[in-house]
Amino acid sequence: MDRTKVSIRPSGLVWVAAAICGACTGLVGELPVQSTTSAPEPKVDGPIAPELLVPPPKDAAEPQLRRLSAPQLAASVRDVLGIDDGDASEFLIPIDESTIPSLLTVERLRAAAAAVTSLRAHHRFVPCAVDGAGTEACAQEFIETFAGRVFRRPLTAEELDGLMTTYREAQTQFGFVDSLDLITEVIFQSPQFVYVFEEGRDEPGLPAGLRRLTSYELATRLSYFLWDTTPDDALLAAAASNRLDDDQQLGAEVERMLADPRAKAKLIDFVTRLMELDGTARHVSIEEAVKDPNLYPLDNPALRQAMRKEIGEFVGRVLDEGGSISELFLSRQAYVNGPLAQLYGLSDGPSRPDEWSWVTLPSEQRAGVATRAAFLFVYAAPDIPSPIRLGAAVWRDFFCYNFPPPPPEAADVKIVPGEGQGQDPSIRRAVENKTSADLCRGCHSKMNPAGFAFGHYDAIGQWQDEERGTTPAGVAYQTAIDASSQLIGSDVEGAFDGAIALSAKLAESRQVRNCFGAKLWSTAFGRAPATGEEKSLAWIQARLAESGSLKEALVDLIQSPGFRYVRKAP
Amino acid sequence: MNSPRQLGRRAFLRGVGGALIALPILEATHGSAWAQGRTPAKRFVVVFRHGGTLSNIYRYPADTESWRLDGTGAEQGHDYWTPLDQGEALRLGPIHSVLEEHKDQLLVITGVDSQNGLEQCPYLGDHRWANKTILTAGNAEPDGPDEVTSLSPSIDQVLAQRLSQATSVPFSSVNLMVGGHQYGTPFFSGPRQPVEGESSPDRAFATYLGAVSSGTPDPALVRQRAKGLSMLDGVIGNYRRLQPKLSTVDRRVVDAHLTHLRELEQRIERLAISTCTTPTINQSVEEGDAERVGPIMADIIVAALKCGLTQVATLNIADIITPWLGEPFGPVGYDIGHSLHHVASDIGEEGSQYPKQAEWLQEMVSNRQWCLGLFKRILEGLKAVPEGEGTMLDNTVMLYTSEFSNGSVHSVNDMPLLLAGSGAGYFRTGRHINCNLLKDHPSGLKYRSRTSTHNLYTSIVNAFGFPDEHFGNDQVVFRGPLPGLT
């Protein structure tokens, strides 16, 4: 967690807009706040317009040079060299906050290339004895094979020429094997490896300015999208024989890739990120969240690890069963160990920490991801649950609706149950009191009600029939929970009660599906949709609204023109 | 492939590769040069601490009169930064007291706003915007949904570029970090070009001091350097071949990458073989161990300056609580310095945590003193090096600052600004420069300023012999140097 960026407050302080809280109009304080809602919003009321389901015309955006993420760099090096994660970890370089690389990143790339080269794992690509005098032909064959593998495509004549020139110059000074090592360091720092650069190729009959991705470029997109690593030999072979140009064969290749455990891991990671369980600029991760040990003796690092595992297994199972978004929000299947079973109040579940099994959670208390321990845990304060954080998370994570940042004083306003609020000491009442000022209401009138649905869970995600706490005066209290809730301004408006009903709303909302579609898109491209891609995205979203399947959305995304074409200025 | 530059490189490698070893860089820059009576070289050091200091200033809209908090009410607001005397006589405040013995070489500057922070930050004070403006006095812009980037260089990098053009050094700047929770780098070498500090002591040592030897250069090191140049040549070739194919936006990325590769190249070329005594560090120190990392980073900076490897150094200290004095403050878990600060309202007389006020203050002040202790360590390291008729510190300007004054309210008024070293006699040190126009108000709580970091940085650039009339973006009312410093 050495690069979280904005203030996080692992404390009982809750974001409450205080005196100068701007309304959620896009203007906060003196400056326009950038809208971060990521996708153009198709109409969501009524049935899906048939025209949205018509496959989109061939159009695409101008491609942008993209640096592989640090995990992608490390995984690629690992897979090419056949080394383990630990040896490849030198490439886990802290991500620059800007798209422009920093000097430190370039220096770290240099050091990482040197470190993996020193392992000599690349020597197995040398087609002659590495300890001999070597020949230029041997060096050339090594460069063609190895650089081709690292660059994810065969070298151009110009590239080969450039690398051979470097080799020859090095060879006269440093000898054969040292020069191969030197070339290997060059290869791992080259733009053809570190960045994804797409040119596409001409294809007859395409609209002006539009080009089809080359087979190798498509293989690279597929591989980093579905696996977060470099294409494997089979995928490169498919590219080499132009099999990816054919829709059917592409479909078969995608199916093969989706069946791979790496695809499942990637989708689990997608959902984990969507729920911000790894921490973000706004809050800490499951592991880093602070909990009061006096109030929550059940909490410990192993329990947190179990929460993470449970979410991963659960998402994995939903994916295995077709990847239904409804199931993601509604299924009560849970993979639990002893401590988790205790947290969920199960009397017939496993009992030991190392004993894991699938159970069905009680229907009146639990549904899918939004009612699981991991989600409830990260969005709570150390001592009390936080309707404000949960409400903001529901909007941000599932509806792609982002509130502007709270003013600094908001962090100083503390939610204290039982503090000067008459007969009702509840957290809900405390939240309402502290956010009732006109200037706060702009955001909180939408945020709070969504969060109130979670009233029956404590700060580590345990079910509670009644809210129990202590007032500032030290008086223990016990009060009924009001979990009545609304999703104001959504396509699933209307009053409901509790987090199970909320989950049902999320499961049926088309806005939620649009949000998932947009986030999948951003995962595929590492950026928000751009001009030329709107129709591809709208089609994927409409299909997702209809099918409700994340897995099908993946396939749609790959089949969409936005994924397979690029726009290039002539 | 056969550009003149590269031919030059090869000639260099073949022809004079060995000869360069002859003259240790330390002597080249610090021996004979001064003997000939030239102006001593000047150096610039910035120590930046995330999260603000302990100040009672409240933020206020530009051009209106405002106030300081009296430290008793709901908003808290103790001031442990400001000197005890409003006038020029320097009586150090509690945080500064660790520097008491060096008082004569300090300038504490109060009443200066980060005007660009004020104008650009949401709520007149936001971590990310404040970080991007505090050392640049320039404009910033959003960079994606969660980030902000600067459109102009920070004062340290402006000086790094100019000084390294005038005097060839291996590192135009040394950039180190004490890692932890933080809000983005305040250092920029150009528009949208962040400068990040190395946070691993091992890597910092390897990068900046690894090629320095204390005796006869190891032939393996000489060979390593030659290979490094050859290798970078190859990498640069690959980036250059890509350049013509790129869009304007993509070119920015590749141009920056190329610039950095050339900087790596320059490091090797300029490092020659430097002989100099470098500190030894305990290789087992982990990045997260701030209490041990901090002093090592300070020592690396001193060594790099002492050995003539650079003229500019930055130390970026994350928002950490070090040392940790006691149990977390209620409810639990204020393990981030800034979160602890945000509990300020509870600690005031009317707050629920008032009984813990003394403990809280001790924690906060100790933490800020610890950070200033790293500044002190660098200061003392430089002071121990004789130079000309004085010490290396005399020919240096050191700046200590943060993105906020009062961290609890994210204020960018009355910024914490501390200078050490006179810059070869340019600044008159040992004083308190107070730019608060209402400093004589009987309440002691009134504040109004017409002075910005624009002015201070103009003064600093002038101290290095550059006659600039202005630093930062075009704020006409804030032109010119800060009066009274020289």
Side-chain angles (χ1 to χ4, degrees):
Chain A
M1 200 217 57
D2 59 353
R3 263 205 83 258
T4 33
K5 279 310 178 44
V6 292
S7 163
I8 38 177
R9 293 120 188 169
S11 71
L13 307 180
V14 185
W15 298 353
V16 180
I20 59 162
C21 171
C24 283
T25 55
L27 270 173
V28 175
E30 308 257 298
L31 267 194
V33 170
Q34 195 192 14
S35 162
T36 48
T37 312
S38 31
E41 196 73 58
K43 269 176 72 73
V44 289
D45 46 339
I48 300 162
E51 64 268 21
L52 284 175
L53 291 166
V54 175
K58 280 179 185 165
D59 199 359
E62 262 192 73
Q64 275 175 27
L65 190 70
R66 174 152 69 101
R67 191 162 82 234
L68 296 181
S69 70
Q72 287 173 340
L73 285 170
S76 303
V77 170
R78 176 199 66 202
D79 291 350
V80 167
L81 291 177
I83 56 179
D84 62 29
D85 281 322
D87 282 336
S89 65
E90 287 288 326
F91 274 93
L92 293 175
I93 296 161
I95 301 153
D96 284 318
E97 58 194 41
S98 166
T99 48
I100 310 281
S102 68
L103 174 59
L104 184 66
T105 291
V106 175
E107 159 63 20
R108 291 285 304 270
L109 280 170
R110 186 203 60 73
V116 297
T117 300
S118 73
L119 301 171
R120 302 204 166 88
H122 58 285
H123 285 183
R124 72 184 170 87
F125 290 87
V126 181
C128 59
V130 286
D131 48 1
T135 60
E136 188 159 310
C138 174
Q140 176 157 341
E141 197 180 329
F142 165 73
I143 289 172
E144 283 186 288
T145 318
F146 184 67
R149 195 67 186 72
V150 177
F151 293 173
R152 312 177 283 266
R153 58 170 171 74
L155 302 192
T156 64
E158 195 196 12
E159 286 168 339
L160 179 61
D161 189 48
L163 288 169
M164 282 306 291
T165 305
T166 305
Y167 166 77
R168 283 186 206 107
E169 284 176 24
Q171 199 270 334
T172 58
Q173 297 178 73
F174 314 116
F176 179 63
V177 69
D178 279 11
S179 301
L180 294 189
D181 291 353
L182 187 149
I183 284 291
T184 302
E185 291 188 35
V186 170
I187 289 168
F188 280 130
Q189 293 173 75
S190 289
Q192 297 97 323
F193 171 61
V194 176
Y195 292 90
V196 175
F197 172 69
E198 295 161 330
E199 287 187 287
R201 61 182 153 89
D202 283 326
E203 189 182 68
L206 284 181
L210 207 62
R211 290 160 69 88
R212 195 184 182 106
L213 284 186
T214 70
S215 296
Y216 289 104
E217 288 166 348
L218 182 58
T220 293
R221 274 197 184 183
L222 283 172
S223 190
Y224 286 104
F225 176 35
L226 297 178
W227 287 351
D228 265 340
T229 187
T230 194
D232 64 0
D233 290 333
L235 186 54
L236 288 176
S241 57
N242 288 323
R243 292 205 300 274
L244 303 178
D245 287 356
D246 176 83
D247 279 5
Q248 289 232 308
Q249 298 197 58
L250 172 65
E253 193 56 30
V254 169
E255 216 158 284
R256 175 184 80 87
M257 294 182 75
L258 283 174
D260 188 285
R262 285 176 290 192
K264 193 164 159 185
K266 178 73 191 265
L267 275 166
I268 291 171
D269 183 60
F270 170 75
V271 177
T272 306
R273 276 170 196 272
L274 190 137
M275 291 165 50
E276 306 182 62
L277 301 183
D278 296 333
T280 64
R282 299 172 192 91
H283 66 89
V284 292
S285 65
I286 296 183
E287 289 74 17
E288 292 156 335
V290 178
K291 298 293 166 184
D292 188 334
N294 298 318
L295 295 172
Y296 301 105
L298 190 60
D299 173 45
N300 60 44
L303 179 77
R304 298 174 183 212
Q305 218 178 349
M307 289 178 183
R308 197 178 264 287
K309 178 169 173 162
E310 184 219 332
I311 286 288
E313 294 289 333
F314 174 69
V315 174
R317 179 170 172 155
V318 170
L319 292 170
D320 286 343
E321 292 169 357
S324 153
I325 291 180
S326 294
E327 284 296 289
L328 202 61
F329 285 115
L330 295 176
S331 168
R332 288 186 287 120
Q333 302 304 309
Y335 194 60
V336 300
N337 66 353
L340 267 182
Q342 192 187 341
L343 187 150
Y344 286 128
L346 306 174
S347 50
D348 53 351
S351 53
R352 293 194 319 273
D354 60 347
E355 191 186 346
W356 287 85
S357 65
W358 284 100
V359 296
T360 304
L361 297 175
S363 61
E364 68 284 3
Q365 295 183 2
R366 306 282 167 175
V369 287
T371 61
R372 300 300 171 94
F375 184 73
L376 301 164
F377 189 93
V378 288
Y379 291 115
D383 48 354
I384 57 171
S386 170
I388 294 175
R389 292 186 203 183
L390 281 162
V394 164
W395 284 112
R396 186 172 63 237
D397 296 352
F398 303 136
F399 285 95
C400 292
Y401 181 93
N402 290 296
F403 295 98
E409 285 92 334
D412 294 344
V413 177
K414 213 173 134 198
I415 300 300
V416 184
E419 181 190 55
Q421 50 200 51
Q423 294 306 302
D424 179 2
S426 69
I427 294 167
R428 179 176 184 138
R429 177 56 62 86
V431 167
E432 281 170 342
N433 284 351
K434 290 277 170 75
T435 57
S436 59
D438 282 349
L439 284 161
C440 305
R441 289 162 50 92
C443 294
H444 283 275
S445 63
K446 186 178 176 97
M447 191 189 300
N448 298 355
F452 291 144
F454 299 93
H456 281 286
Y457 307 99
D458 70 12
I460 65 166
Q462 298 175 108
W463 178 266
Q464 48 188 10
D465 286 323
E466 288 188 309
E467 184 183 317
R468 290 158 196 269
T470 311
T471 67
V475 181
Y477 74 84
Q478 192 171 334
T479 183
I481 292 166
D482 176 4
S484 60
S485 173
Q486 285 185 75
L487 291 164
I488 296 163
S490 74
D491 63 333
V492 284
E493 272 192 330
F496 59 90
D497 194 87
I500 313 293
L502 174 86
S503 296
K505 293 271 187 187
L506 297 174
E508 76 181 54
S509 163
R510 208 191 302 167
Q511 279 177 338
V512 169
R513 292 177 188 200
N514 285 346
C515 174
F516 276 58
K519 285 186 174 176
L520 264 186
W521 182 283
S522 302
T523 305
F525 292 93
R527 58 172 170 78
T531 311
E533 294 171 336
E534 302 91 340
K535 287 192 170 151
S536 278
L537 176 64
W539 174 71
I540 292 158
Q541 288 175 320
R543 296 262 300 173
L544 182 57
E546 197 177 52
S547 76
S549 160
L550 275 180
K551 239 177 174 168
E552 283 183 36
L554 280 184
V555 177
D556 286 341
L557 204 156
I558 291 163
Q559 301 275 5
S560 73
F563 196 83
R564 294 195 285 169
Y565 294 87
V566 288
R567 183 163 288 284
K568 279 274 180 179
Chain B
M1 273 306 282
N2 287 324
S3 72
R5 191 189 56 78
Q6 283 159 330
L7 283 173
R9 156 88 45 65
R10 265 174 248 130
F12 158 83
L13 283 173
R14 286 179 196 137
V16 288
L20 271 175
I21 299 168
L23 186 63
I25 194 166
L26 182 61
E27 286 172 28
T29 55
H30 299 116
S32 54
W34 289 322
Q36 290 159 18
R38 279 166 46 186
T39 311
K42 291 176 184 173
R43 302 160 201 90
F44 186 57
V45 177
V46 181
V47 177
F48 175 86
R49 190 246 190 263
H50 289 256
T53 187
L54 299 181
S55 147
N56 64 350
I57 191 74
Y58 201 80
R59 64 165 187 279
Y60 71 103
D63 298 325
T64 62
E65 194 174 297
S66 189
W67 65 94
R68 293 173 187 277
L69 301 161
D70 65 5
T72 57
E75 294 285 355
Q76 212 271 338
H78 286 276
D79 189 346
Y80 283 80
W81 173 271
T82 307
L84 303 177
D85 197 309
Q86 294 284 323
E88 193 172 323
L90 182 57
R91 286 178 60 215
L92 293 175
I95 293 173
H96 296 148
S97 65
V98 295
L99 294 169
E100 183 66 39
E101 61 192 290
H102 306 294
K103 201 171 85 171
D104 291 349
Q105 273 142 323
L106 305 181
L107 263 172
V108 181
I109 301 160
T110 60
V112 175
D113 296 339
S114 174
Q115 189 62 32
N116 265 44
L118 274 179
E119 293 190 358
Q120 294 185 76
C121 285
Y123 305 114
L124 305 171
D126 166 272
H127 283 282
R128 289 165 299 177
W129 290 84
N131 278 37
K132 301 312 179 208
T133 47
I134 176 62
L135 289 167
T136 64
N139 294 328
E141 70 174 15
D143 183 19
D146 288 328
E147 302 287 356
V148 175
T149 192
S150 171
L151 296 176
S152 56
S154 51
I155 174 74
D156 51 292
Q157 294 302 307
V158 168
L159 287 172
Q161 284 157 18
R162 293 192 192 180
L163 294 175
S164 65
Q165 266 166 23
T167 309
S168 165
V169 285
F171 304 101
S172 59
S173 65
V174 165
N175 309 106
L176 301 179
M177 164 124 216
V178 182
H181 179 79
Q182 47 114 356
Y183 315 100
T185 185
F187 306 110
F188 282 80
S189 59
R192 305 180 189 85
Q193 179 58 73
V195 175
E196 300 282 355
E198 175 58 66
S199 56
S200 146
D202 291 352
R203 280 196 298 268
F205 193 90
T207 300
Y208 293 116
L209 302 176
V212 176
S213 49
S214 55
T216 315
D218 181 354
L221 201 59
V222 179
R223 186 179 160 89
Q224 195 55 44
R225 287 167 20 77
K227 279 167 82 175
L229 287 175
S230 209
M231 184 276 293
L232 285 171
D233 219 19
V235 180
I236 286 172
N238 277 338
Y239 280 88
R240 289 174 53 161
R241 273 190 288 278
L242 185 59
Q243 263 178 324
K245 301 176 178 174
L246 298 171
S247 69
T248 320
V249 175
D250 291 348
R251 260 191 96 96
R252 280 184 196 159
V253 175
V254 168
D255 287 353
H257 206 119
L258 266 169
T259 303
H260 300 325
L261 286 166
R262 295 212 174 95
E263 173 108 19
L264 296 187
E265 213 177 35
Q266 220 172 57
R267 285 178 177 182
I268 299 178
E269 285 167 353
R270 291 185 174 176
L271 197 49
I273 295 299
S274 180
T275 49
C276 185
T277 309
T278 57
T280 47
I281 66 163
N282 184 342
Q283 298 290 317
S284 68
V285 173
E286 300 221 351
E287 279 187 59
D289 186 356
E291 275 177 68
R292 295 170 73 201
V293 169
I296 290 171
M297 295 306 196
D299 292 352
I300 291 175
I301 286 176
V302 171
L305 289 166
K306 203 166 76 175
C307 295
L309 304 175
T310 190
Q311 290 140 298
V312 174
T314 66
L315 180 61
N316 187 352
I317 309 173
D319 190 6
I320 47 176
I321 292 199
T322 305
W324 184 245
L325 295 181
E327 285 300 303
F329 290 84
V332 275
Y334 293 100
D335 56 349
I336 291 166
H338 194 67
S339 296
L340 187 61
H341 206 164
H342 270 298
V343 80
S345 58
D346 296 336
I347 297 295
E349 237 166 49
E350 293 155 19
S352 59
Q353 303 283 325
Y354 182 58
K356 289 187 177 172
Q357 193 188 56
E359 209 183 334
W360 183 86
L361 283 168
Q362 194 191 2
E363 177 74 63
M364 295 296 283
V365 173
S366 303
N367 173 240
R368 267 55 179 184
Q369 285 179 336
W370 182 85
C371 295
L372 204 58
L374 297 182
F375 183 82
K376 181 187 181 187
R377 195 173 173 106
I378 298 170
L379 185 158
E380 289 180 342
L382 299 180
K383 209 170 173 175
V385 183
E387 193 171 86
E389 291 175 2
T391 71
M392 196 170 226
L393 177 65
D394 297 328
N395 298 313
T396 301
V397 174
M398 294 179 67
L399 167 68
Y400 183 93
T401 191
S402 182
E403 82 274 29
F404 297 137
S405 44
N406 187 346
S408 162
V409 294
H410 293 189
S411 174
V412 293
N413 294 114
D414 196 13
M415 300 309 291
L417 296 163
L418 168 70
L419 295 185
S422 65
Y426 187 82
F427 294 128
R428 285 191 296 126
T429 53
R431 297 182 301 143
H432 172 205
I433 304 297
N434 189 340
C435 302
N436 176 10
L437 298 171
L438 303 177
K439 65 184 173 197
D440 297 325
H441 191 275
S443 74
L445 297 174
K446 289 285 181 184
Y447 179 84
R448 183 172 198 170
S449 173
R450 300 290 286 166
T451 312
S452 172
T453 45
H454 291 81
N455 306 110
L456 175 63
Y457 300 155
T458 305
S459 292
I460 291 175
V461 170
N462 293 164
F464 283 81
F466 303 107
D468 304 42
E469 290 171 7
H470 182 62
F471 184 93
N473 69 349
D474 199 19
Q475 296 287 333
V476 176
V477 288
F478 300 105
R479 292 188 88 87
L482 198 148
L485 287 181
T486 58

